[in-house]
Every structure is written in structure tokens, then in C-alpha cells.
Amino acid sequence: DNLLGISWVDSSWIPILNNGSVLDYFSERSNPFYDRTCNNEVVKMQRMTLDHLNQMVGVEYILLHAQEPILFIIRKQQRQSPTQVMPLADYYIIAGVIYQAPDLGSVINSRVLTAVHGIQSAFEEAMSYCRYHPSKGYWWHFKDQEEREKTKPKAKKKEEPSSIFQRQRVDALLLDLRQKFPPKFVQQKPGEKPIPVDQIKKEPEPVPEAVKPEEKETVKNAQGAVAKGPPEKRMRLQ
């Protein structure tokens, strides 16, 4: 079981904690960090001193560091011979409260999870301020900016008149579109229902009158006379 998230304390032992009594305090039966099958329990039942632990093989607890009366560090280790041991876990006692010291893997895992959680929270908050519109693109919309915009007096924007170039360009584009895509319906008067272009009656064009050949010649002669002008006057010889 993972014991990194729990702690244990017995307030009756806190006033008398010292280097000699801290292992007895750690070996209390209600302490979840203590292993009942350890060599310390065997030595305690046989009423031997802790020096006999060096001659035994198995799990044992030793006082690794002491700073009375606040800090005590106890190590759980596996003894394989009188000179060879393998550390299993460390426990520290601060003001009578016992905690299990985390291993390096747990520390790295906790730091990585904390960093990832912070990055994920920042990313989600940043995405909540992101806005997109097809005509504008992406932009940021913050809450404080919205509050400032509400408090600011709204000034009416004056509409600028279009320039001559803009009007001519728009008219040219509309004329080009009208030629490419002629209208299928026409509204002759405002308020009337649009009528298809095919149903509109076209007025017959006036037929040119037939001109007689004699009239054509007289018209040509008249035009020629006008073009030539009056004949020149000659002086009479007496």
C-alpha cells in the first residue's frame, strides 16, 4: 500500500521523545509504518539489546539521524550479513508526527504531474479567451477588456462617403455581373410582383417606309445641289 499520503502521531509520547525512546515510540502497534515481523520485534520479545540486530538477518529499523527534540529519522533496511544491508525506506518524525519519506521516483512523478496540470490549466484558460471569425480571423477577448469596453462611453462612428473611384469601380463590377448573369425576373413598378423576362411583351420595332426610286433621285439631286452651291456669276461684255 502507498503510505506517502498518511501520517501517524501519539500525543502521549511527544514530551518524552529522545534518542533512546524514539524506536519504542515507532514500534507502537497502532503505527501503520511498523512491520510486526521485523527483527526489532524479535529482540523486544526476547528482551535483548539492539546490538543483537547486527547478528541477525531480515528486516530491521535503526535510528539514522536525531536532532532532539524536533527531528528524528528512522531507516527500514534489509540485513543480509553483519556488514551488508540494503535500505528499503526512510521515515522522519517532526514534532512527534511520523511521515514516510518519498523515494526519488515518487518525487519526480509528483513534480511532473504538477507541471503538466499547471500547463493544462493554463492552456484551457488561454483557449477560453480565444475567438475566431471567418472575416476577422483569430483574436484574444479578455474579461477585463470587456469590462473596460462597457465602462467606456460609446462614440458614434461617422460613416465616410464613398469616393468617385469606388463608385465607378462598383458600377463597373455590377455591369459586368449583369452581362454575365442577366436577370431572370423584372419588377416593372415598385410594389408589383416580379415577372419573368420571357413573359414581357416587346414592342414591335417601326418598319422603315419604302421609298420610291423617283423620290430617291430627287432627294439625291437636291442634296447634290446643296453640296455644289449656286453657280458663279459671269461678267457681261458690252
Side-chain angles (χ1 to χ4, degrees):
D1 297 336
N2 188 5
L3 303 178
L4 297 176
I6 63 174
S7 62
W8 182 83
V9 61
D10 188 351
S11 57
S12 61
W13 279 80
I14 294 177
I16 59 174
L17 277 180
N18 52 42
N19 295 351
S21 62
V22 65
L23 284 175
D24 294 332
Y25 172 61
F26 190 83
S27 61
E28 283 289 327
R29 293 188 175 276
S30 58
N31 182 13
F33 304 108
Y34 185 67
D35 187 1
R36 300 285 179 270
T37 61
C38 64
N39 293 338
N40 297 65
E41 193 72 13
V42 176
V43 170
K44 184 178 180 180
M45 292 176 63
Q46 295 181 3
R47 297 181 180 180
M48 295 186 295
T49 61
L50 295 176
D51 296 336
H52 290 82
L53 292 174
N54 298 333
Q55 307 300 325
M56 303 176 68
V57 176
V59 177
E60 64 183 22
Y61 294 91
I62 63 170
L63 179 62
L64 185 65
H65 177 75
Q67 185 177 348
E68 294 184 5
I70 298 298
L71 177 63
F72 301 93
I73 298 177
I74 296 175
R75 171 167 289 181
K76 179 182 180 181
Q77 59 187 12
Q78 176 75 31
R79 180 170 292 278
Q80 300 175 355
S81 68
T83 58
Q84 186 177 5
V85 293
M86 181 177 62
L88 300 177
D90 289 336
Y91 306 92
Y92 56 94
I93 304 173
I94 299 179
V97 184
I98 302 177
Y99 305 91
Q100 181 176 349
D103 56 301
L104 182 60
S106 301
V107 173
I108 295 175
N109 188 24
S110 176
R111 296 295 176 85
V112 170
L113 288 177
T114 303
V116 171
H117 177 70
I119 294 172
Q120 183 69 21
S121 301
F123 182 76
E124 291 177 356
E125 186 174 359
M127 288 300 296
S128 64
Y129 298 129
C130 181
R131 299 290 184 273
Y132 173 77
H133 193 272
S135 62
K136 297 181 181 179
Y138 289 96
W139 77 92
W140 297 104
H141 184 75
F142 298 100
K143 295 181 180 178
D144 55 351
Q145 181 180 0
E146 184 178 357
E147 292 177 357
R148 288 197 301 268
E149 290 178 356
K150 288 181 179 179
T151 55
K152 283 183 179 179
K154 295 183 179 179
K156 294 183 179 179
K157 295 181 180 180
K158 295 182 179 180
E159 296 182 358
E160 297 181 359
S162 58
S163 62
I164 298 175
F165 172 77
Q166 291 175 342
R167 291 196 294 269
Q168 291 177 352
R169 187 61 181 166
V170 171
D171 293 341
L173 291 174
L174 292 176
L175 182 60
D176 188 19
L177 290 174
R178 180 182 176 85
Q179 292 176 356
K180 290 182 179 180
F181 308 100
K184 297 182 179 180
F185 295 88
V186 177
Q187 188 178 14
Q188 296 180 349
K189 294 181 180 180
E192 293 184 355
K193 185 178 180 181
I195 303 172
V197 178
D198 301 337
Q199 298 181 5
I200 298 176
K201 295 181 180 179
K202 296 183 179 180
E203 296 181 357
E205 297 180 358
V207 180
E209 297 180 356
V211 182
K212 295 180 181 180
E214 296 177 356
E215 294 179 355
K216 287 182 180 181
E217 292 180 359
T218 54
V219 172
K220 285 182 180 181
N221 294 334
Q223 290 178 353
V226 172
K228 289 180 180 179
E232 296 179 357
K233 293 183 180 182
R234 296 181 180 181
M235 296 180 64
R236 293 182 181 179
L237 295 176
Q238 294 180 353

